[in-house]
Amino acid sequence: MSVSTAAAAQAICAPLPVLGADVTVPLVTGGEVTYAALDYAASAPALQRVWDDVAAYAPYYGSVHRGAGYLSQLSTDLFENARKTIGEFLDCRADDQLVFTRSTTDSLNLLAAALPADCQVFVFETEHHASLLPWQDARVTYLDAPRTPAQAVETLEKALAARTASVQEGYGPALVCVTGASNVTGELWPVRELAAAAHAHGARIVLDAAQLAPHHPVSVRDLDVDWIAFSGHKLYAPFGSGVLAGRADWLQAADPYLAGGGASRKVTRREDGGVDVEWHETAARHEAGSPNVIGAYSIASACKALTEAGFDTLVARERHLIEKVKTGLAEVPEVRILSLFGDDAPRVGVISFVVEGWNSSHFAAALSAEYGIGVRDGLFCAHPLVRTLLGSDPQTQGECGAPEAAPGEKSLNAIRVSFGAGTPDEHVERFVTAVKELVQDGAKWKYRTEDGRCVPAV
């Protein structure tokens, strides 16, 4: 088979089956259409494999680490095997700990609570709020948005060098927090190079892989990061669980993230009436309460499904979809794709854009109501980055405001289309056609603002 023929065959291969692929939604113009879910960056649909695995386990659901009964033992084994499977998926080191959390946000807040005293944190202003905001109790240095991957590394190196040069002030531990792929632009960040820069200056690094792990293989060893955080609901496992995996020492030295059963190894009363507690040193130290065994199992199931499908295959097909979207949008002069590193920068299936003459909330509402296409509009919980990308370019203020924008900034919002392993070609083709028709012909329906959202007028 020739290279071109092989590429064509790759492009049309069936995606991983997901739930909701046959869901139909009503259109304001009449009739129904199969829903095009193009908001994977917010929450990806569950893989059919994940749903089937969870359904098969559900009758055997029992307490974890708590009971002597068969179902409890089975659930405990399943929970701990899920930890092992996810650790292998991330290529963790032998002495790393993998803690189950609720989400990426929860994972990074856990790490923030475990920072040693006097730790200084370095974070780019381009981060999602989940990795931008948890460090408020530490000394934080916010770094300006870079315009190339090389500039990102250079910016970090200069900041870290300035820290180590300030001997008279003294310096303690340091942590760098960086995304693997932007939730706004989809662009891939130079994680390996940033990790090398951090380690060269005695700092550690945590990777926010919420947008990277569903699209590309992630190796803790190869990237040489100290911790990695991600969410199940973006990895086709929407059952309310997340992961923080990495070095154990800071986690073992910190007080438990939550105090309660499971985190404690021994609790005794003192003569003065108080309580002495001996905490676990394993991952259980930060997993107080009854764990979300279904959430953990669903992540492990998704990891297996992605591994078996092969990331080479998934990445190649996603690049095909990315090019299809970019090529289609490039044919509409009124559309501007947002980018930090340039139009040709490698990215995952996340693309944000603005349309001249349109308020983004109005445009997204029309895509949904008139075409059955679900996208995201607003500032995407990355307000500083979107403001940087939009700059001072004027946008026509429409009658519908952006729900995430502050008063007086209602025109400062964008549209995001995102997709992944469960997206058929027809969804992105319908999206491109809809964009062209809306720009050329305008919306077929009138819209109004209701509770901060742009909705069809009744």
Side-chain angles (χ1 to χ4, degrees), residues 381-408:
C381 293
H383 295 187
L385 172 55
V386 178
R387 291 188 178 107
T388 295
L389 294 171
L390 295 180
S392 58
D393 292 347
Q395 291 191 62
T396 301
Q397 174 63 52
E399 62 181 17
C400 298
E404 293 187 56

Side-chain angles (χ1 to χ4, degrees), residues 335-359:
V335 169
R336 176 167 69 92
I337 293 178
L338 304 182
S339 174
L340 270 178
F341 301 153
D343 293 340
D344 296 329
R347 69 172 72 213
V348 299
V350 178
I351 298 173
S352 294
F353 62 98
V354 291
V355 183
E356 182 181 348
W358 282 82
N359 176 272

Side-chain angles (χ1 to χ4, degrees), residues 176-221:
V176 176
C177 180
V178 67
T179 188
S182 170
N183 79 301
V184 176
T185 68
E187 292 166 313
L188 298 175
W189 277 62
V191 177
R192 189 179 294 103
E193 292 79 2
L194 290 167
H199 293 153
H201 291 276
R204 296 189 180 189
I205 186 168
V206 57
L207 171 64
D208 175 353
Q211 300 296 338
L212 182 63
H215 303 273
H216 282 260
V218 176
S219 167
V220 170
R221 297 174 197 257

Side-chain angles (χ1 to χ4, degrees), residues 15 28 33 41 64 87 100-102 112 168 178 240 263 326 338 353 368 370 377 381 409 430:
V28 293
V33 66
V64 174
F100 285 114
T101 66
R102 294 178 298 171
Q168 67 276 16
V178 67
K326 288 177 61 180
L338 304 182
F353 62 98
S368 174
E370 300 178 26
D377 66 276
C381 293
E409 292 185 347
R430 193 196 319 171

Side-chain angles (χ1 to χ4, degrees), residues 213-240:
H215 303 273
H216 282 260
V218 176
S219 167
V220 170
R221 297 174 197 257
D222 182 52
L223 295 174
D224 197 22
V225 294
D226 297 280
W227 292 277
I228 183 171
F230 71 92
S231 296
H233 72 100
K234 298 186 191 298
L235 195 81
Y236 312 100
F239 292 94

